[in-house]
Amino acid sequence: MKKIKVASIPGDGIGQEVVPAAEEVLTAIAELHGGLSFEFTRFPWSCDYYTETGKMMPDDGLEQLTDFDSIFLGAVGDPSVVPDHISLWGLLLTIRREFEQVINVRPAKLLNGVRSPLVNPNDFDLIVVRENSEGEYSSVGGEIYQGGDQIAIQNAIFSRKGTERAMRYAFELAKKRSKKLTSATKSNGIFHTMPFWDRIFSEISRDYPDIETDSQHIDALAAFFVTTPHRFDVIVASNLFGDILTDLGAAIMGSVGIAPSANINVNGKYPSMFEPVHGSAPDIAGKGLANPIGQIWTAKMMLDHFGEEELGSTLLSTIESLLADQITTPDLGGTFSTIEVTNELIARLRKLG
């Protein structure tokens, strides 16, 4: 029996609803496999935990997570309780940085049964590989002076190691798909880091002669995501550019509530972390309105990560069968609750067995 030990952190808001739902789905699909099981350990770290302790997680929180095979995160944040910069840096970003989760992967595709806001979506199926450890989200910088002379400085840090690592991951992914890779850049406006990015992309391209490559400036690329998303397959981007593109990717799918992501540790020293793109949505928390698909598709990415691609494909196709039959939550125009969508998905998985 292959057992996967998962540290489960539902977090805030609707994370408290969609994480347990996705855990039930993972248990059901493991039963379908027959030789796989998941062992979930729940951690209560959240904004509520902060109000009780003054911390988003305990001092030894990272040590507690180290021996797990993966981390399954719901959502972090409730600005009515804790400022966002405290909640994010106290939990999510700390885990990403300290566990060297240097790659963020987010797919976007036209799902059967989900109406894209685009007039002509043309069955797009793309995936963004985002550098996840440095770039524009570096914490290097500061503020000086006061009053009208006050200055804030934010330094973007691009190392050759980090840049090349993200690009090689993207090239390897492109090899498994349609052998097309696009680099997101802005070298016509950002003087130092983006020409550096372009130069490394050109160098690495020589090691992958079978991969068709191109570079697109981020402003044009964002426009192409709206007008012709089907022309893209794998896109590699810096931390900020990747963040923007993947939120746009979720939007053109039809709902941020269905978008998944994975934070990947590539050296095997620490667990990777899987989380949906959506936030904690405190306005609908506890009402049964949360769409569980983003968390469940994230579970599919976790299955893929552990080499269970066939199970992952089965899960995604079952999700699409549900959506095609309009068994959806209100964000997609449906009338079903979080629990009803989850239960129907599990029922369909069990029928496959």
Side-chain angles (χ1 to χ4, degrees), residues 30 40 57 60 121 125 131 145 179 209 218 229 257 299 301 309 325 333 339 346:
F40 299 103
M57 64 177 174
D60 67 344
D125 183 357
E131 199 289 316
Y145 310 135
K179 295 183 168 57
I218 185 62
M301 295 187 75
E309 290 92 348
D325 290 338
I339 293 174
I346 291 171

Side-chain angles (χ1 to χ4, degrees), residues 33 37 69 92 100 182-183 192 201 208 229 259 302 318 321 330 339 346:
H33 180 282
S37 69
D69 298 314
L92 172 64
E100 300 176 19
T182 299
S183 169
H192 294 294
F201 185 72
Y208 296 88
M302 186 162 68
T318 308
S321 76
I339 293 174
I346 291 171

Side-chain angles (χ1 to χ4, degrees), residues 158-229:
F158 284 73
S159 68
R160 172 172 284 274
K161 179 180 179 180
T163 301
E164 182 170 336
R165 182 170 52 202
M167 290 178 177
R168 289 196 180 277
Y169 189 98
F171 271 103
E172 291 297 324
L173 183 58
K175 282 171 61 176
K176 299 175 183 177
R177 290 171 56 96
S178 64
K179 295 183 168 57
K180 290 173 58 180
L181 177 61
T182 299
S183 169
T185 184
K186 191 56 182 169
S187 50
N188 64 346
I190 300 177
F191 191 80
H192 294 294
T193 57
M194 284 294 104
F196 176 79
W197 174 279
D198 291 350
R199 189 164 62 249
I200 294 176
F201 185 72
S202 177
E203 291 173 6
I204 297 175
S205 297
R206 299 181 196 127
D207 295 336
Y208 296 88
D210 295 334
I211 304 297
E212 177 187 344
T213 63
D214 73 323
S215 293
Q216 297 286 341
H217 292 301
I218 185 62
D219 44 351
L221 184 53
F224 290 142
F225 261 43
V226 174
T227 57
T228 54

Side-chain angles (χ1 to χ4, degrees), residues 37-97:
S37 69
F38 288 92
E39 180 181 286
F40 299 103
T41 301
R42 186 73 54 84
F43 292 87
W45 306 335
S46 62
C47 288
D48 285 342
Y49 183 87
Y50 183 91
T51 62
E52 295 172 5
T53 66
K55 300 174 182 178
M56 288 299 294
M57 64 177 174
D59 292 337
D60 67 344
L62 292 173
E63 184 180 346
Q64 292 185 46
L65 297 175
T66 300
D67 292 333
F68 285 90
D69 298 314
S70 70
I71 302 166
F72 201 43
L73 179 70
V76 178
D78 186 347
S80 68
V81 178
V82 180
D84 280 342
H85 69 282
I86 292 177
S87 60
L88 289 176
W89 280 96
L91 184 60
L92 172 64
L93 295 181
T94 295
I95 294 172
R96 283 183 183 175
R97 298 292 171 91

Side-chain angles (χ1 to χ4, degrees), residues 11 31 59 81 122 139 153 176 182 228 230 242 252 256 277 300 304 306 314 317 348:
E31 292 170 358
D59 292 337
V81 178
N122 290 318
S139 58
I153 300 170
K176 299 175 183 177
T182 299
T228 54
H230 59 279
I252 64 174
V256 71
V277 173
K300 182 266 185 194
D304 292 342
F306 288 110
T314 297
S317 63
R348 295 190 182 200

